[in-house]
Amino acid sequence: KSIMIWQRYAEPIWTDVHQGDTLSFRMAREEHDERHISPLQLTAVRRCLQVWTNPGDIVLSPFTGIGTAGYVAIELGRCFVGAELKPSYYRQAVTNLRTAERERGRTDLFAAN
């Protein structure tokens, strides 16, 4: 990484993270959901994965939700392993991960390596 990228990421406040840079959670929302929906910005996840992982690494998300970390992992050429208990979140995560695979030009989601 260039020194400019590292310096920007090391800033104490990230002013260039856009609040709307999230995956849609609305399809995963159920009628009786708790009101704890907290969309996570792709930009923040992207920075973390760029700093702490390399292409080909495995990214683990034990609380996958709708698949934000997996989406970015696939986008950046990482492998992804995730777990989610809530069926509606799981279904949305699968949809989001498949979208990331298509956008990256791959079609081997859930394939054994």
Side-chain angles (χ1 to χ4, degrees):
K1 306 283 181 207
S2 77
I3 190 69
M4 292 172 63
I5 291 173
W6 285 100
Q7 287 173 338
R8 190 176 84 221
Y9 287 6
E11 290 291 324
I13 299 173
W14 292 346
T15 59
D16 59 341
V17 175
H18 304 286
Q19 289 184 356
D21 184 23
T22 63
L23 297 176
S24 175
F25 62 87
R26 303 212 188 286
M27 295 296 291
R29 183 87 190 229
E30 293 178 346
E31 183 180 337
H32 301 296
D33 265 350
E34 297 176 25
R35 299 204 180 267
H36 75 283
I37 298 290
S38 178
L40 181 57
Q41 285 75 22
L42 298 171
T43 310
V45 175
R46 197 172 290 118
R47 285 187 180 185
C48 292
L49 295 185
Q50 286 173 332
V51 170
W52 293 305
T53 68
N54 294 306
D57 281 357
I58 298 172
V59 174
L60 169 65
S61 178
F63 309 101
T64 297
I66 62 169
T68 301
Y71 183 94
V72 174
I74 292 168
E75 172 186 81
L76 296 177
R78 278 65 167 165
C79 299
F80 177 72
V81 175
E84 178 54 52
L85 294 174
K86 188 171 184 177
S88 64
Y89 286 10
Y90 169 79
R91 287 189 299 272
Q92 187 62 47
V94 169
T95 298
N96 291 334
L97 296 175
R98 286 191 172 136
T99 298
E101 287 279 308
R102 273 193 311 278
E103 289 174 357
R104 185 147 173 91
R106 295 174 51 189
T107 58
D108 59 347
L109 185 64
F110 303 115
N113 290 334

